[in-house]
Amino acid sequence: MEIETPHGRALAEVDEAADARLLLVLTHGSGGGVDAPDLLAVRDAVLAAGGTVARVVQPFRLRGARAPGSAVKQDEAWLSIVAGLRGRHRGLPLVQGGRSNGARVACRTARAAGAEAVVALAFPLHPPGKPERSRAEELRQAGVPVLVVNGDRDPFGVPDEKDAARLVVLPGEGHEFKKDPARVGEAVARWLFPPLPVEG
């Protein structure tokens, strides 16, 4: 599905769940794509649990750029993308998210997009080796509950537990979640669709 934005064309790959309970819109990092192992694992787990999942290639990546450029333009484009997807999935609660830079976009635009929650994968807390340049404020200002899933060996750092509704730190994982991406999908699906309490 192609979506026109004020800053170029975006592309959304949508996997529809039968009797969907929510719409999860995910996007990539600065230099990656929507076929990153963790994004595919989240898609599979959420789809199986009853969520429709859209994986979005942002305009800057379709142009071939590896850097997103202006945050303002990126956020404007994102809001257009989400509006287009919501128009096709009316009535479904919206959750938005992404990995790395995509997680930052999802946090910055959550309230304006009308999202009920954010899924932040490999949130880049600071540039590698520069902990003084923290981006924790983006998590704090999301205005909705945020799930953060990071690896404990991520050179971009690991956010503080107090800055998210839930923080999941995966042992042995770096920024790319190469060891066991299925664990990322499981963590997201568990948070979005918590199991019902057992009576008795």
Side-chain angles (χ1 to χ4, degrees):
M1 171 184 171
E2 292 189 359
I3 303 171
E4 289 298 330
T5 83
H7 304 291
R9 184 174 56 94
L11 189 63
E13 296 188 29
V14 183
D15 292 278
E16 306 264 1
D19 300 318
R21 294 153 63 188
L22 59 78
L23 169 65
L24 174 61
V25 184
L26 293 171
T27 192
H28 48 76
S30 291
V34 294
D35 290 330
D38 55 333
L39 294 181
L40 293 177
V42 170
R43 177 203 61 187
D44 293 347
V46 170
L47 199 56
T52 287
V53 182
R55 290 172 299 127
V56 174
V57 183
Q58 296 178 63
F60 78 90
R61 289 298 287 148
L62 284 182
R63 290 194 301 270
R66 288 185 67 82
S70 156
V72 171
K73 290 182 179 179
Q74 192 181 16
D75 292 356
E76 286 173 352
W78 181 253
L79 290 172
S80 292
I81 292 162
V82 171
L85 287 164
R86 293 194 86 179
R88 288 176 176 243
H89 299 88
R90 294 188 188 283
L92 288 182
L94 169 69
V95 178
Q96 62 179 24
R99 63 166 288 103
S100 196
N101 175 262
R104 297 181 64 195
V105 175
C107 287
R108 290 196 305 258
T109 61
R111 275 187 283 206
E116 297 198 7
V118 168
V119 171
L121 310 176
F123 186 87
L125 182 63
H126 56 71
K130 298 181 178 177
E132 71 281 359
R133 290 176 56 189
S134 173
R135 299 163 178 145
E137 199 59 30
E138 291 180 350
L139 285 171
R140 296 185 200 118
Q141 292 185 348
V144 299
V146 181
L147 167 69
V148 175
V149 184
N150 270 59
D152 67 351
R153 296 183 181 178
D154 193 327
F156 290 85
V158 177
D160 195 294
E161 199 168 22
K162 72 178 187 307
D163 292 329
R166 174 142 174 73
L167 172 67
V168 176
V169 180
L170 300 178
E173 292 282 10
H175 195 61
E176 306 299 333
F177 296 121
K178 288 181 179 174
K179 289 198 169 187
D180 189 3
R183 289 190 298 174
V184 181
E186 289 162 8
V188 173
R190 249 195 327 268
W191 189 68
L192 291 177
F193 303 99
L196 294 172
V198 178
E199 293 183 10

